[in-house]
Every structure is written in C-alpha cells, then in structure tokens.
Amino acid sequence: MIEVLVAMLVLGSGAMAMIMLQLQALRSGRDSALQTRAMMMAVELAELRAEYHAGGVRDGIDPYLLSFNGGALAPIGNSCSAAACSPLEFAAAAVAGWTARWSSNFPGARAAVCRDGRLPSTIASDWSCPQDSTAPVYIKLGWRDARRFGGDNGTAIERPQLTMFIGY
C-alpha cells in the first residue's frame, strides 16, 4: 500500500514538473514574439526617419524624435491618403500611426526616440535623454513584462528593453 502512495507521489511530482515546464515554454515564446515585434517596429521607425532625412535638411526639425508613454493617448496625425501632404505632415502621420500601433500591441508601452550622447552602457539603463544636438539618435522601447515588472499593476517600466542606434 505504501509503495502505491510513493509511486503516486513520484508520478504527481513529475506531472507537476511537466506542467510548469510547459508554462515556462509558453511564457518564453510570448516574450520572444514581443521582442521580435518590437525590433521590427524599431526598424520601421528608423527607416521612416532615414527616408525623411534623405530628402534633404528640413530646417533642423526632426519629427521622429518623440517620447511616448503608454498611459497617454497616441497622437492623432493627418491622413495623407486623401490629399497630398508635405514631408513634415507625412512624418507626423507616420509617427501617429506608429505610436498607435505601439500602444495597442504592447502592454504598458513606452517609447523614446532621442539624441543621447552618453556611453552605450548607460543609454540602455534609463529613459533619460540629454538632447545634445550633435549626439547620435537612439530608439528606446519598453513594455510591461509580468515576470520582470510585477504584472500589469500600473508600476513604471524601469528601463528600456530594446535600445537601438539609428543615426545622427
């Protein structure tokens, strides 16, 4: 009789371990999908910015420099599909569309595209942007991850999860 109880205990522990392993695999897959999607969105924004600047100097205005917190509403831009618009209006519409998708696809989304002349090791450690006009431009993206940030309980995202250099 005791042998049966011990066998049931061993099998139950093994089954519980398999369930926990499966849950961990599902979480890792979700995190990997979010990281991949974030990288694709960062590259998209970098390409839009590069295309804007390839058209020539625009009086020092860079509409792709932004700071967005998921708690705020995404900016609304003009639609350039109905009528022709200037490069600056197109950039504003592109940024509005990008931030809307960013906030809808990522829990607790936060984004910053800014000039940051600090060492790369410190750039990825916080959200601050010194805004030196000659510094390189970085994209900093972050979102709420239940394991690292205590769930979706309104706590601030401590640091960016993705930081990428995109030019000057």
Side-chain angles (χ1 to χ4, degrees), residues 56-146:
V57 177
R58 311 242 189 250
D59 299 327
I61 298 172
D62 191 345
Y64 290 97
L65 297 180
L66 64 99
S67 179
F68 176 75
N69 193 342
L73 293 174
I76 299 171
N78 295 334
S79 172
C80 294
S81 60
C85 57
S86 72
L88 189 59
E89 291 170 330
F90 177 81
V95 166
W98 188 91
T99 54
R101 284 185 296 116
W102 177 250
S103 65
S104 68
N105 288 326
F106 289 85
R110 186 169 179 188
V113 181
C114 59
R115 296 189 177 279
D116 199 336
R118 299 177 294 159
L119 294 173
S121 60
T122 58
I123 290 171
S125 66
D126 63 24
W127 289 98
S128 67
C129 295
Q131 298 297 337
D132 177 9
S133 63
T134 61
V137 177
Y138 285 88
I139 295 178
K140 299 178 182 185
L141 302 176
W143 57 93
R144 194 163 324 289
D145 178 358

